[in-house]
Every structure is written in structure tokens, then in C-alpha cells.
Amino acid sequence: MSTRIDARNVDVYYGDFHAVEGVSLVMEPRTVTAFIGPSGCGKTTFLRTINRMHEVIPGAYATGEILINDQNIYATGVDPVDVRTMVGMVFQRPNPFPTMSIKDNVLAGYKLNGKKLSASQADDIVEKALRGANLWTEVKDRLGLPGSGLSGGQQQRLCIARAIAVEPDVLLMDEPCSALDPISTLAIEDLIHELKETFTIVIVTHNMQQATRVSDKTGFFNIQGVGLPGHLVEFDTTEKIFSNPRDEATERYVSGQFG
Ligand SMILES: Nc1ncnc2c1ncn2[C@@H]1O[C@H](COP(=O)(O)OP(=O)(O)OP(=O)(O)O)[C@@H](O)[C@H]1O
Ligand SMILES: [Mg+2]
């Protein structure tokens, strides 16, 4: 499976507030794209439009097109639930369902979609997803225990397992390591390297080293001032963004002079 994401002139609003303006970019299959930029410039907002997750916020809407394998996910008749099956998401704070077992957490996507699985199908899915998330050996003997009993880094890998269990084509990650220690962070970064063989990955990060370690392409978002919409300043190979960006604001941001 190779999935291309083509965002065309995307604007995002929270009611009257214009949060993100005019974003166009293409994310290629089997690549990792990083979004960087100062707080409040719209990285999370734009990321959520790639699986229509912003629509759960009352009053939030987007205009423009996002084509996933040439299909506009905003076309009439497209079910956002189908979009979210195809485009998985991992959030900033590990958020396993606390009272659910590790196993049921991995299967949560199937349960939400109302899909019936046989016991052996369920076992296969759980093992494959946990292996994919590099968590299997650590939890295989305690699959029935609550997900909340895992360490933070393990919980985040559990959330990644939950996201990949439904076999999406795209994985969105919003600062997936911001609550993790350096060892867990490196474990997630290694995992991202492996997952990009299968998925198109988009990650938001405030960690510049992380962007250079994990991503192929980088988009720098910025905002001109309070109350103004955020926008994509520059999108290029990660190497170019960090060594020789076109825009002066990008240069200042990646060299740590603001943000
Ligand atoms: N649910 C919401 N309702 C109204 N405004 C929102 C909502 N979520 C975000 N915003 C506003 O949209 C703008 C962009 O926010 P967003 O969370 O996308 O920024 P960000 O780049 O992800 O920031 P950070 O790096 O701090 O996570 C901000 O002005 C923010 O206050
Ligand atoms: Mg954010």
C-alpha cells in the first residue's frame, strides 16, 4: 500500500476564528513528514484536518481539499468514520482507555466500528499490532491487565498499536514523545523508522533533533501575530530546511532564535 496525501489550499476555522490559512503540500508514500513551528501556529489544527478529527469540535470546519490516493476526503458522501479508519492518529499524551485491558485497548478501533471478530482473529490482530509497535515481548504475558498499568512510554506504544491495529494507510502523530523520557523517545523514533515502510507518517514535533532524526520532509508553520491565521511558510526536504532554508523566519526558528 502506498498512500499519497495531497492537501490543496486548506483553511481551518473554529467558528469565526480563522486558525490556519491556505496550506498546500504533498506528503509522499512511505515518508515521514514533520511539522514544526511556534506554539499556536496551527500544527495540531492542520494535522487534525487530515483525518477530519477537527469535526468533533463544535463549530470547527475546514475548506479546501485533501486528497488521499486521489480521493478528496471532504467530498460529499464521504463518511468521516471511514476516513479515520484509513488515517490513524496518536495524540500528545498517551491515552489508553484506563479500565480496559491491554488486549481490549488494541482492539478498541474494531469495537468502535462495531466489527465482530472471532477469538483467533482477535488474538492475531493483537499480536501483530503489538509486535508492530515493539511492545509485544513486554506485555504478552499480561494482555488481560489494564492498559493504565504500563509505563508512559509503553502506554504510548500501546496507543500506536491501537492506531495500527485497524491497518490504516496513514499515521498522524501529534507530539507523540512530548510526555516521554529520552529512552522511550528513542524507542518511538526507531519505531517510526520501521513504520514508515508501511505507512505514510505525519508527525508534529517541537524537538528539532527529533525532526532531523525521523523525518524526510519538514514543513515550517508560522504566525504573523496574535489573532492571525497560521500558515505554512516553507516545505522542503528536512535536510534543506535545517541546513539552508529559503525563508529567514525558518532559519531563525530552526536555529533556536525564536519559538
Ligand atoms: N478547540 C479550539 N477552539 C478554538 N480555538 C482553538 C481550538 N484549538 C486550537 N485553537 C486555536 O487555534 C490556533 C492554533 O492552535 P493549534 O493547537 O493548532 O496550535 P499548535 O501549532 O498545535 O500549537 P502547540 O505547538 O502549542 O501545540 C490557536 O490560536 C489556538 O488557540
Ligand atoms: Mg499542537
Side-chain angles (χ1 to χ4, degrees):
M1 191 69 210
S2 54
T3 301
R4 184 172 188 268
I5 308 166
D6 183 354
R8 298 184 176 174
N9 205 21
V10 174
D11 283 68
V12 197
Y13 301 81
Y14 294 104
D16 293 337
F17 176 56
H18 191 181
V20 173
E21 182 174 43
V23 175
S24 297
L25 79 165
V26 173
M27 291 153 270
E28 298 292 350
R30 298 201 187 87
T31 63
V32 179
T33 298
F35 293 157
I36 60 170
S39 183
C41 68
K43 303 174 299 293
T44 295
T45 298
F46 177 68
L47 188 76
R48 286 195 293 231
T49 63
I50 303 175
N51 73 350
R52 296 182 56 167
M53 202 58 113
H54 65 288
E55 291 175 15
V56 304
I57 301 161
Y61 66 98
T63 61
E65 294 184 334
I66 295 183
L67 282 67
I68 296 186
N69 285 335
D70 300 322
Q71 283 272 1
N72 181 13
I73 62 168
Y74 287 97
T76 16
V78 175
D79 184 346
V81 174
D82 292 339
V83 174
R84 288 172 207 147
T85 306
M86 182 166 66
V87 184
M89 186 147 184
V90 175
F91 299 86
Q92 190 166 359
R93 301 223 152 248
N95 59 346
F97 299 110
T99 57
M100 256 188 214
S101 68
I102 293 169
K103 178 177 170 177
D104 286 343
N105 262 287
V106 178
L107 294 171
Y110 288 90
K111 300 247 160 80
L112 287 174
N113 292 345
K115 207 166 161 191
K116 290 265 175 286
L117 299 168
S118 72
S120 74
Q121 273 175 325
D123 287 345
D124 288 348
I125 290 165
V126 168
E127 179 168 347
K128 185 174 174 205
L130 287 170
R131 282 191 188 281
N134 266 335
L135 188 58
W136 175 250
T137 41
E138 285 156 77
V139 300
K140 65 178 164 44
D141 299 322
R142 48 166 162 159
L143 295 175
L145 296 181
S148 53
L150 299 174
S151 76
Q154 288 172 331
Q155 287 187 25
Q156 194 58 306
R157 280 178 284 145
L158 178 60
C159 293
I160 292 171
R162 180 174 68 190
I164 64 179
V166 291
E167 303 195 338
D169 302 320
V170 178
L171 206 52
L172 309 177
M173 304 177 126
D174 192 359
E175 301 189 50
C177 302
S178 64
L180 305 182
D181 66 89
I183 306 263
S184 305
T185 296
L186 287 178
I188 301 274
E189 289 179 7
D190 286 344
L191 177 56
I192 291 171
H193 270 292
E194 289 166 26
L195 294 175
K196 90 171 188 184
E197 301 299 320
T198 318
F199 305 100
T200 306
I201 296 176
V202 189
I203 178 174
V204 173
T205 180
H206 278 282
N207 179 329
M208 296 302 106
Q209 283 84 31
Q210 177 163 80
T212 57
R213 283 193 298 257
V214 303
S215 72
D216 304 289
K217 292 276 190 77
T218 296
F220 171 62
F221 285 76
N222 202 2
I223 187 165
Q224 302 297 4
V226 178
L228 294 171
H231 61 284
L232 180 64
V233 174
E234 186 166 355
F235 177 64
D236 213 318
T237 62
T238 298
E239 210 211 323
K240 171 97 171 129
I241 293 287
F242 282 88
S243 63
N244 185 22
R246 239 182 331 99
D247 196 280
E248 200 207 329
T250 314
E251 167 88 56
R252 288 197 296 128
Y253 184 79
V254 300
S255 61
Q257 292 174 56
F258 83 99

